[in-house]
Structures are given as structure tokens and as C-alpha cells.
Amino acid sequence: MERPNYITPAGYAALRAEYEALFAKERPALVDTIAWAAGNGDRSENGDYIYGRKRLREIDRRLGWLSKRMKAAKVVDPAQAPDRARVFFGATVTIADEDDNHRTLTLVGDDEADAGKGLIGWNAPLARALRGAAVADLRRVALPAGEREYEVIAITYPGG
């Protein structure tokens, strides 16, 4: 059995918006272009036709992936977290490493992770290490660069 695909309401809305844009706008426009290009004769040397078919396969593959991810999604609203004193899904956590470097991270669904924006996937090694931690807890995590220890400095949730 697969792990649940936890996702925030905003993350689910982003997946849905991408699906709608591809399905309702980009795909129909591409089908029209392919039909026009096919009517121009020899398809073997027709760039619009060849590129259009390739792009259509990419869109269909992405639509299938998005559909599967949305069906498996379990939307969790972090604002409804029952225990705001511990790190759970949707928490924004400030941590300090051994060198007293502070980082602020938000634990989100794997589909909405963006390390550059401080959003780490729920199943990432650091997120797994932080789960259930309270302020002042020390957590050790094995990272590609080696093992590090982090102290939880602050925990916040949206809406409170």
C-alpha cells in the first residue's frame, strides 16, 4: 500500500489549476494546430505536426500524472492542527544547526515541495526527523553531506 499523498489546500488547488489549464486550454489549442498541420500534406517533414504530436503526448502524460496524484491526495489543512506545540504536517519550523545557522522551513506535501522557497516535502529526511518535535528538541538527521543535528527554535501554524 502506498503512503498517503498529504497536501495542503493551496497545493491541491495548484494541481487542480494546472490540470484545468492543460485540459481546457492548451490541449484543445494543440489539437487544432495538429489538425491544421495534418491538412497541409506530407506529415513526415511537417514541423508543426511532428512537434504538435510530441507535445500532445507530453500533455497527456502530465494530465494522467496529475489525475493520479489528485485522486490519491489527502487534503490536510494545517490551520486545523490539534497540537500546535509539536511539528506536524503544515508546520513552519525554525531550526538551528550546530553552527547556530537558522533556517525556517514549512513541511508540505511532496508534490508542493520547493526547497528554494523553504517548502520541504513531508517525506524528506529532514521533515521525517522533525516530525513530532517540540521547541528545544534536538533532532539528528542523515543528509547527503553527512549527519547533522538541529535544534527546534520555533513552531508556527497558519491561522494562529
Side-chain angles (χ1 to χ4, degrees):
M1 185 171 145
E2 282 188 34
R3 294 185 287 227
N5 179 27
Y6 294 118
I7 193 166
T8 63
Y12 186 83
L15 289 180
R16 186 92 191 136
E18 182 183 356
Y19 183 90
E20 294 294 331
L22 287 173
F23 188 76
K25 292 186 179 99
E26 193 170 341
R27 191 178 192 286
L30 194 55
V31 168
D32 289 344
T33 302
I34 292 170
W36 168 83
N40 287 340
D42 185 10
R43 296 177 186 176
S44 66
E45 295 182 13
N46 187 328
D48 287 329
Y49 180 80
I50 294 168
Y51 170 76
R53 294 287 305 213
K54 180 177 182 270
R55 180 68 183 132
L56 187 61
R57 283 191 302 272
E58 292 169 359
I59 288 173
D60 286 344
R61 195 169 25 256
R62 182 71 178 168
L63 286 170
W65 184 85
L66 287 167
S67 175
K68 208 158 71 169
R69 294 306 287 174
M70 286 188 301
K71 282 180 188 166
K74 180 167 177 33
V75 179
V76 177
D77 187 356
Q80 307 298 320
D83 183 1
R84 293 172 172 260
R86 297 198 168 275
V87 176
F88 294 109
F89 183 81
T92 298
V93 186
T94 302
I95 58 175
D97 65 11
E98 294 122 345
D99 301 325
D100 205 32
N101 296 320
H102 289 75
R103 286 176 58 191
T104 301
L105 309 164
T106 302
L107 279 60
V108 296
D110 293 331
D111 293 333
E112 51 191 325
D114 184 347
K117 294 180 180 175
L119 305 173
I120 62 169
W122 178 243
N123 291 305
L126 183 55
R128 285 195 314 265
L130 291 172
R131 289 182 196 171
V135 172
D137 282 358
L138 295 175
R139 294 294 168 107
R140 192 166 280 291
V141 61
L143 297 171
E147 199 169 271
R148 305 278 302 195
E149 188 171 70
Y150 293 97
E151 179 182 359
V152 177
I153 305 297
I155 302 168
T156 59
Y157 283 90

